[in-house]
Amino acid sequence: MRSPTARYHVLHETIYDYDSPVSLSRQLLHLTPRDCPWQRCLTHQISVSPAVTATRERRDSFGNPVRELAIEFSHDRLAVRAESTIEVWPHLPVDATRTDLLANPARPAPGRPARAWPGYLHTSPAWENVREALAYGSRPVLLDAGRFQFQSPHVRVKHEFASYAGQCFTPQRPILEAVQALMSCIYDEFEFDSEATTVATPVLEVLANKRGVCQDFAHLMLSCLRSQGLAARYVSGYLLTRPPPGQPRMVGADASHAWVSVYCPELEGGRWVDFDPTNNLLPDTQHITLAWGRDFADVSPLRGVILGGGAHELDVAVTVTPVAEVGNQALSLP
């Protein structure tokens, strides 16, 4: 049975406390959820303290909504609060309601149950055929997909990643089945460790140490896929996490999440299929899409330049709450 449509209230708060005054600040925000065929943003507002001198809204080169801010007077603290109400529809690939396992299901991690994968995965085109379709030649170029085939600031195309992925990309294996196998390998073989990496940790180091966080696992999976000649993009968003039974949801306990999306050509022109290596699943109504790009650098929730400030302390809190649990708060929904 497919997941029902879900509505969420998302609160994303970011606070910078500076050691010395900042005289000028320019910021670029990817905090507005994008509308997708499976998702729409019902309400959204961003508040900033101190008040901004100027602001502008636009779309970036990937179609993500962005907001530019300028603060042109002295301040020692910057607080950005983004609040959204979002509706997400079920969007697993065709035949995702099947409960049969693939012929060679991934080995579950100790203490974790095996998953039933969508039957559509093993009927997708062979991965070599997809790579050939994406390769440059005397035929129409798949521009939207092709821009996600190459190296980017946090993703590398190297033989080490092709070698690691080779165990999954066997000859003529359906592309989505191979990608699912790669996702499961990362899930089984890599340890989630929030202290092991920073945003600047090279993806080759993540491969060597087999530790990291969702952002690292997304960059690793992208490096493996692009090293195989495939097109894959980085997706930034949120994931609903549930508190232990009997415990209230903790404000700020959720965090920004990251996963990958792989291009799979089809007769009707192709589709992008999402995979979450941190949780070993295909995202559906529990994932909320914020933005996508080549890697984290393209879709950082808040990035900018400042004059002054010295050292700073950063505090980020994200809370994802099903609308049914918000209670009697006034939400303007259509």
Side-chain angles (χ1 to χ4, degrees), residues 294-317:
R294 297 167 302 163
D295 60 29
F296 173 77
D298 288 332
V299 296
S300 174
L302 195 152
R303 181 179 62 184
V305 293
I306 60 174
L307 183 60
H312 68 265
E313 291 186 4
L314 172 63
D315 184 24
V316 179

Side-chain angles (χ1 to χ4, degrees), residues 24-269:
L24 177 66
S25 176
R26 292 279 197 276
Q27 301 293 332
L28 181 68
L29 279 56
H30 279 94
L31 288 171
T32 304
R34 67 180 296 158
D35 286 330
C36 311
W38 62 89
Q39 172 182 293
R40 62 173 176 160
C41 187
L42 303 175
T43 67
H44 177 70
Q45 62 180 8
I46 294 177
S47 56
V48 182
S49 177
V52 300
T53 306
T55 183
R56 181 169 76 106
E57 296 182 14
R58 62 176 177 83
R59 299 273 174 174
D60 66 12
S61 62
F62 303 103
N64 302 305
V66 297
R67 184 173 298 191
E68 298 173 352
L69 307 177
I71 303 174
E72 299 177 346
F73 51 84
S74 181
H75 57 283
D76 56 15
R77 190 173 192 263
L78 173 64
V80 179
R81 175 188 173 101
E83 191 168 3
S84 309
T85 306
I86 303 153
E87 186 170 57
V88 185
W89 295 282
H91 55 280
L92 289 174
V94 175
D95 292 338
T97 55
R98 290 178 56 174
T99 57
D100 56 315
L101 295 175
L102 295 176
N104 296 299
R107 174 181 60 83
R112 292 171 175 161
R115 296 184 181 276
W117 296 104
Y120 173 75
L121 299 188
H122 69 273
T123 64
S124 57
W127 71 272
E128 297 99 328
N129 296 347
V130 176
R131 179 177 62 184
E132 178 64 22
L134 290 166
Y136 176 79
S138 56
R139 57 182 174 278
V141 179
L142 301 172
L143 291 177
D144 184 57
R147 68 199 304 196
F148 298 104
Q149 284 184 274
F150 308 106
Q151 287 196 159
S152 53
H154 295 287
V155 175
R156 293 290 175 262
V157 175
K158 291 183 175 293
H159 68 86
E160 291 93 339
F161 300 110
S163 177
Y164 179 78
Q167 60 184 316
C168 304
F169 286 82
T170 52
Q172 292 301 300
R173 191 173 192 182
I175 179 173
L176 297 183
E177 183 182 318
V179 175
Q180 175 267 316
L182 173 63
M183 173 181 69
S184 294
C185 283
I186 294 173
Y187 176 78
D188 287 346
E189 298 175 12
F190 287 72
E191 184 74 21
F192 188 94
D193 184 349
S194 60
E195 304 297 325
T197 59
T198 69
V199 68
T201 301
V203 68
L204 274 172
E205 186 175 320
V206 176
L207 177 63
N209 296 336
K210 289 186 163 48
R211 307 179 78 84
V213 295
C214 58
Q215 176 181 294
D216 301 307
F217 301 154
H219 287 152
L220 170 67
M221 191 167 177
L222 291 173
S223 296
C224 291
L225 293 169
R226 294 182 194 172
S227 295
Q228 293 288 349
L230 302 173
R233 63 194 184 193
Y234 181 99
V235 186
S236 170
Y238 308 108
L239 172 66
L240 175 68
T241 59
R242 299 196 176 274
Q247 299 296 317
R249 186 178 304 278
M250 296 178 62
V251 175
D254 296 336
S256 297
H257 195 49
W259 58 96
V260 307
S261 192
V262 179
Y263 180 74
C264 179
E266 295 172 329
L267 292 178
E268 67 268 24

